[in-house]
Amino acid sequence: MMGIKKIQLNNGMKMPEIGYGVFRVEEGNALEEAVVTAIRSGYRSIDTAAIYGNEKSVGTGIRHAIEEGIVTREDLFVTSKLWNDNLSYEETIKEYEQTLEKMGLDYLDLYLIHWPGKNKYLEPWKALELLYKEGRVKSIGVSNFQVHHLEDLLNNTEITPVINQIEFHPKLTQEQVRDFCREHNIQVEAWSPLMNAELLNNVTVLEIAADHRKSAAQIILRWDLQHGVITIPKSMTPSRIKENINLYDFSLTDEEMARLDALNSNLRSGPHPDEFDF
Ligand SMILES: NC(=O)c1ccc[n+]([C@@H]2O[C@H](COP(=O)([O-])OP(=O)(O)OC[C@H]3O[C@@H](n4cnc5c(N)ncnc54)[C@H](OP(=O)(O)O)[C@@H]3O)[C@@H](O)[C@H]2O)c1
């Protein structure tokens, strides 16, 4: 199997362009096994968050895959996120330490501020900068940041985030945020790339899928990659876990990309970052 391509981030780190998401999955054996299945299938990037309540199982799965000799820790790109609930500088450092402890890991490859909240991110970001400078985390980024949050962060702190992880799919194409990120060399990463499976019955997606003899999920994920957006589909189904990284034997034409882009209706499946107070 061809390995998953990597994208160089603004600090020189390389991140796989497809990763494995684990939102809405409980702790337990099933998740541990799914993480091992994903790694065995070729995933090298895994995305969790403190608020998912499953960092322990994700970490156990990762350590099993390493113990089984499928990968080394250095082969993997592990992301978790800070639940930014009015945290001070010191509390932020403690949250990171707790995440590492739960996962049984010495470091994360990427630590994200999960939501901007109402002006809640500057102090935590300064704590993330310290963790980064001390080499305790390989890279730091944000999630759900609008242009005005990014401008505020860039104007008031030192380090530019490597990533902005945002809701992104053909119904929500986020032109403004993507343009801003491109201008500032911040890599965009898509969450809920399949709109939590809601887009898999879309007629346009299904037509393009039939033409390529690919699944609807593969068409949308390929659209992410051709937009230069890192994607992290979630699945607990082994056949889909494999299907979702099998994206390198076809490509979408400019016309197909444009048809998918035209589905945009600024429709969110999750909260709006300016209205969600976390
Ligand atoms: N930063 C944030 O605020 C934020 C918010 C939401 C999500 N995320 C991240 O983004 C990841 C992905 O988003 P998501 O979990 O919300 O949704 P998603 O990846 O858009 O969709 C997941 C759903 O699609 C199904 N599915 C996956 N592949 C499929 C395929 N090939 N064919 C048919 N169905 C398929 C899954 O079913 P099965 O599992 O049953 O196979 C699941 O129900 C999350 O896991 C999380 O890591 C981040």
Side-chain angles (χ1 to χ4, degrees), residues 22 47-55 58 79-83 99 114:
V22 295
D47 181 276
T48 185
I51 198 73
Y52 301 169
N54 62 18
E55 287 174 314
V58 171
T79 302
S80 193
K81 311 183 195 88
L82 172 77
W83 192 248
T99 280
H114 204 148

Side-chain angles (χ1 to χ4, degrees), residues 133-145:
K133 284 184 195 165
E134 289 184 340
R136 294 161 76 186
V137 60
K138 300 279 179 197
S139 48
I140 53 176
V142 296
S143 180
N144 298 301
F145 273 43

Side-chain angles (χ1 to χ4, degrees), residues 93-155:
I93 306 272
K94 279 206 193 90
E95 287 292 317
Y96 182 65
E97 286 166 353
Q98 270 178 29
T99 280
L100 291 185
E101 195 182 314
K102 280 190 191 144
M103 298 189 83
L105 299 176
D106 299 331
Y107 67 91
L108 291 184
D109 297 278
L110 176 62
Y111 197 41
L112 302 175
I113 293 186
H114 204 148
W115 289 88
K118 300 260 185 273
N119 306 319
K120 282 182 180 172
Y121 45 81
L122 289 180
E123 204 176 330
W125 185 255
K126 288 175 187 163
L128 264 57
E129 289 181 329
L130 176 81
L131 291 169
Y132 177 69
K133 284 184 195 165
E134 289 184 340
R136 294 161 76 186
V137 60
K138 300 279 179 197
S139 48
I140 53 176
V142 296
S143 180
N144 298 301
F145 273 43
Q146 300 279 84
V147 170
H148 68 92
H149 299 120
L150 291 169
E151 281 173 337
D152 186 32
L153 192 74
L154 295 183
N155 287 336

Side-chain angles (χ1 to χ4, degrees), residues 23 47 143-144 165 192 194 234-237 240 243-244:
F23 183 32
D47 181 276
S143 180
N144 298 301
Q165 185 186 112
S192 290
L194 310 175
K234 171 261 172 186
S235 176
M236 286 294 283
T237 315
R240 292 172 177 170
E243 180 184 314
N244 291 347

Side-chain angles (χ1 to χ4, degrees), residues 170-171 173 175 204 223 255-265:
K171 292 276 184 193
T173 55
E175 311 288 346
T204 306
W223 174 83
E255 191 255 335
E256 288 166 336
M257 289 294 287
R259 280 175 72 198
L260 292 167
D261 290 346
L263 295 176
N264 182 44
S265 54

